[in-house]
Amino acid sequence: MRVLITGADGFIAKTLRVKLVERPDIEVLSYTRDADPATLPALVAQADAVIHLAGVNQSSDAEGFRVGNADFTRQLAGLLYADGRALPVVMASAEQTRVQTPYARSKWEAEQVLKAYATATGAQVYIYRLPTVFGKWAAPDRHSTIATWCRDIATGQAVTIDDPAERLRLVYVDDVADEFIRVLQDRPVLEHPRVPVEYTSTAGEVLNALRAFRASRATLATPDVGTGLLRALHATYLSYLPPDEFSYRIPRHADARGAFVEVLKTPHAGQFSFFTAGPGVTRGGHYHHSKTEKFLVLRGRAHFRFRQIVSGLTHQIHTDGDTPEVVETVPGWTHDITNVGDQELIVMLWANEVFDRDRPDTIAAAL
């Protein structure tokens, strides 16, 4: 399938084009703001479907909106009529069409043009009135406020907002692109097309989340960024980091036994660390009532010893970095680990809870 994208150099189009290029069964045809209008008829003639993203969202007068939105869509529809194949069209419109502004009127007129094309030809036309779209590659100060906040916070600039309680309806650019591809592939009948994944939040909540992402480099406490809005915001925020901010240093605590480094702390899934030990060094010698840990030797040879603190039952485990094997600590068993190799021992450690100095649940007990 050959898909023509108008406005192919815009915010949504950048992600959409990348996702389409990843598909071996799809060829992308691009028409950009700077393209020669004389090339558009040939592109329509080659296309099997159209994703209409071209438009103007900033103009000094109403004429600019009319020409960039309504008139260009009329030009495109005229070529679709002339082509005679009733090509399917996906259009990105705006939620603001319900508001009486020059921009809103121009988008509404563009919608009516494509609806008329659908009625006259039987073509499938999907018009998405999108709420605020956010994600990577949006232009700060132009495409979305979230892009501006991400850039400013990522570069250490101050951000203030007038109304933290302002309600926001948001869709993530990757979800928008996936939905556009889905409808062109499946051609469902949709009376009111919408992106199925939509988020509701407040300006203050979004801004606080972005600030927490930056602060996590100092606190090592990363929010729950694996799902939902926080996942999308986290990916968006990171996309605005300048390359010289792609890495950051974390504290290293060392003594005669070796080094201990906390890497990452989470709100609900514990924390990740690693430690080292020189040849013959033993670390540990304690038990926990509820805390559990997973150890993985990355380099070297280790001897784990366990003793049940009530029954006295003992157990031993030998492991090394060549054979990945997770060793778990069990509540009520005191344990230690000794480097029995001739090189530095490096061990990755996960604990199910973030260390709390007031309630460490770590009781010294020799084996």
Side-chain angles (χ1 to χ4, degrees):
M1 179 168 60
R2 288 166 296 186
V3 178
L4 169 60
I5 303 176
T6 68
D9 55 355
F11 163 40
I12 296 174
K14 290 175 183 176
T15 293
L16 181 62
R17 286 168 58 190
V18 170
K19 286 179 173 283
L20 287 172
V21 167
E22 292 166 356
R23 296 277 299 268
D25 58 331
I26 293 178
E27 178 184 349
V28 177
L29 307 174
S30 298
Y31 183 82
T32 67
R33 185 189 304 271
D34 298 327
D36 183 350
T39 64
L40 187 57
L43 291 171
V44 172
Q46 296 175 61
D48 299 307
V50 177
I51 299 180
H52 181 32
L53 304 179
V56 173
N57 59 11
Q58 293 182 338
S59 175
S60 60
D61 54 34
E63 179 70 5
F65 290 124
R66 183 184 62 79
V67 172
N69 295 325
D71 288 356
F72 179 76
T73 303
R74 288 190 184 95
Q75 178 188 356
L76 176 63
L79 295 173
L80 293 170
Y81 278 116
D83 181 79
R85 289 181 293 146
L87 298 184
V89 179
V90 175
M91 175 187 175
S93 190
E95 204 174 34
Q96 292 91 334
T97 51
R98 301 167 184 153
V99 181
Q100 288 303 306
T101 65
Y103 169 73
R105 284 195 297 272
S106 69
K107 295 298 285 187
W108 183 85
E109 289 177 20
E111 290 182 7
Q112 304 317 302
V113 168
L114 289 181
K115 287 179 180 179
Y117 162 71
T119 300
T121 65
Q124 293 169 300
V125 172
Y126 304 95
I127 298 174
Y128 286 82
R129 289 185 170 181
L130 298 173
T132 299
V133 183
F134 71 98
K136 60 185 179 296
W137 303 330
D141 304 317
R142 180 184 172 193
H143 287 141
S144 81
T145 302
I146 290 178
T148 307
W149 292 347
C150 286
R151 177 204 60 194
D152 291 348
I153 293 172
T155 55
Q157 301 180 56
V159 177
T160 59
I161 54 177
D162 295 330
D163 183 10
E166 178 188 358
R167 301 299 297 177
L168 303 178
R169 288 181 57 216
L170 306 168
V171 287
Y172 183 45
V173 68
D174 283 60
D175 294 328
V176 174
D178 290 343
E179 172 66 5
F180 288 178
I181 295 170
R182 182 189 74 84
V183 296
L184 286 185
Q185 179 176 292
D186 299 344
R187 309 287 172 87
V189 176
L190 299 175
E191 186 175 355
H192 300 292
R194 59 183 295 272
V195 178
V197 182
E198 184 176 307
Y199 303 107
T200 301
S201 188
T202 67
E205 289 168 345
V206 169
L207 188 56
N208 286 340
L210 299 177
R211 286 170 170 159
F213 299 151
R214 178 174 177 83
S216 69
R217 290 190 166 192
T219 64
L220 304 182
T222 295
D224 289 330
V225 295
T227 59
L229 177 58
L230 282 182
R231 169 182 173 269
L233 285 174
H234 187 245
T236 302
Y237 167 77
L238 290 178
S239 73
Y240 289 88
L241 286 175
D244 59 2
E245 291 287 329
F246 282 6
S247 65
Y248 60 100
R249 297 201 173 179
I250 54 180
R252 180 177 183 271
H253 307 282
D255 57 26
R257 300 170 301 168
F260 178 77
V261 179
E262 293 178 301
V263 178
L264 178 68
K265 302 176 183 180
T266 72
H268 305 112
Q271 70 178 64
F272 296 84
S273 314
F274 77 88
F275 64 84
T276 66
V281 169
T282 297
R283 305 195 67 149
H286 56 245
Y287 66 88
H288 313 292
H289 285 290
S290 300
K291 180 188 296 185
T292 61
E293 300 161 316
K294 295 178 185 287
F295 295 89
L296 175 64
V297 174
L298 302 179
R299 187 180 74 183
R301 295 167 50 222
H303 177 207
F304 289 87
R305 297 189 302 165
F306 297 87
R307 178 177 60 81
Q308 215 271 13
I309 60 173
V310 174
S311 69
L313 182 66
T314 61
H315 185 63
Q316 301 182 52
I317 299 173
H318 285 84
T319 184
D320 61 69
D322 294 331
T323 307
E325 181 178 359
V326 172
V327 178
E328 292 195 295
T329 63
V330 177
W333 289 70
T334 189
H335 51 274
D336 64 20
I337 176 174
T338 301
N339 180 355
V340 293
D342 55 6
Q343 61 178 329
E344 183 182 54
L345 180 70
I346 302 177
V347 182
M348 186 172 75
L349 165 64
W350 170 81
N352 71 311
E353 58 187 53
V354 173
F355 182 73
D356 183 348
R357 293 187 181 278
D358 294 328
R359 300 184 63 188
D361 189 16
T362 301
I363 300 93
L367 277 86

